[in-house]
Amino acid sequence: MVKYFCCGGLLKSNWDQVYVAFWQRYPNPYSNHVLTEDIIFREVTPTNCLISRRLLTKTSRAPRWMERYLPKHMASSAYIIEDSIVDPQKRTMTTLTWNISHARLMSVEERCEYQINPDNSSWTQIKREAWISSNIYGLSRAIQEFGLARFKTSVTKTMKGFEYVLAKMQGETPSRTLAETATERARETALAAKEKAKDLASQAHKKQYV
């Protein structure tokens, strides 16, 4: 069974600016998890469409209950393939992204379409779709729910990162505030504490039966 998710987004910048910003997204304060990006393949088709494939390396800390199913060197990083097709005449850009690391445990495929907003030609609309699946018997539903929750959080950061890069390109002051940074760090600390508490509770439960 596959978990499907779809949402829309809006960037208040024109398509040309968004297209340029797409290739300059990293680094930004919302993408500290992106370690490297490498172009594997790129060509221009006879119809002047730009086709690209990139390899991204990201940190991807799995929850403790999932780490037991991963080799140690794979538990904190992931490799992602990103394909993209840009049509400058139609002013469209389509991207398809999927993980190649521990894909049997959890596979996440994402498809995004960037187009001119029909109500305001100075803005760009995004249609985002995702398919999340797992082949782990007995845990697939839990893993899919975890993947969906993480994906939704990632979408929020992706949009904020896009807006940050666009603001810098246009000579504006990015809107990331100290309060926002502190809130994000507090959430990350709380999540880490929650995982640690679960791990300690699990260990205590095991000792009762030793």
Side-chain angles (χ1 to χ4, degrees):
M1 186 174 178
V2 177
K3 204 95 172 162
Y4 174 74
F5 175 73
C6 181
C7 67
L10 186 67
L11 293 169
K12 295 183 179 180
S13 298
N14 64 49
W15 185 89
D16 293 282
Q17 291 170 331
V18 171
Y19 163 66
V20 173
F22 177 81
W23 305 107
Q24 300 179 18
R25 285 181 301 165
Y26 310 123
N28 71 70
Y30 299 94
S31 67
N32 295 327
H33 63 294
V34 180
L35 304 177
T36 63
E37 52 177 331
D38 298 284
I39 297 174
I40 301 175
F41 172 81
R42 177 167 283 173
E43 74 170 8
V44 177
T45 69
T47 56
N48 289 324
C49 291
L50 176 66
I51 299 177
S52 304
R53 169 167 287 188
R54 297 198 298 175
L55 173 66
L56 306 176
T57 307
K58 301 181 179 182
T59 58
S60 181
R61 180 62 187 269
R64 291 190 179 276
W65 61 266
M66 192 185 291
E67 287 182 355
R68 71 186 68 177
Y69 301 100
L70 297 172
K72 290 185 177 180
H73 70 283
M74 293 174 63
S76 60
S77 63
Y79 294 103
I80 312 294
I81 293 292
E82 175 196 84
D83 285 352
S84 61
I85 303 175
V86 180
D87 189 330
Q89 296 180 341
K90 295 182 179 179
R91 291 290 193 273
T92 62
M93 177 168 64
T94 303
T95 65
L96 182 63
T97 308
W98 69 95
N99 61 299
I100 56 176
S101 296
H102 38 83
R104 181 178 176 275
L105 178 65
M106 182 173 69
S107 172
V108 180
E109 297 183 22
E110 179 190 42
R111 185 177 188 272
C112 295
E113 294 181 0
Y114 299 78
Q115 298 178 324
I116 296 174
N117 181 266
D119 300 321
N120 188 332
S121 60
S122 297
W123 294 354
T124 304
Q125 67 180 25
I126 306 171
K127 179 183 178 182
R128 191 184 308 272
E129 297 176 283
W131 296 264
I132 302 167
S133 61
S134 173
N135 293 323
I136 303 299
Y137 180 76
L139 291 173
S140 60
R141 178 171 292 184
I143 292 173
Q144 288 172 7
E145 291 293 343
F146 165 79
L148 179 59
R150 174 171 284 187
F151 181 81
K152 290 179 178 179
T153 300
S154 175
V155 168
T156 301
K157 289 186 176 183
T158 297
M159 292 299 290
K160 288 184 177 182
F162 237 129
E163 291 167 353
Y164 181 93
V165 173
L166 284 164
K168 287 191 68 177
M169 284 174 50
Q170 297 165 24
E172 301 173 5
T173 302
S175 60
R176 185 178 176 87
T177 63
L178 290 175
E180 188 176 9
T181 303
T183 300
E184 183 178 331
R185 289 179 178 175
R187 287 174 179 171
E188 292 175 351
T189 301
L191 286 172
K194 186 177 180 180
E195 290 293 338
K196 185 174 182 179
K198 285 183 178 180
D199 188 46
L200 291 173
S202 178
Q203 292 179 8
H205 183 70
K206 289 179 180 178
K207 287 180 179 179
Q208 293 179 3
Y209 296 95
V210 175

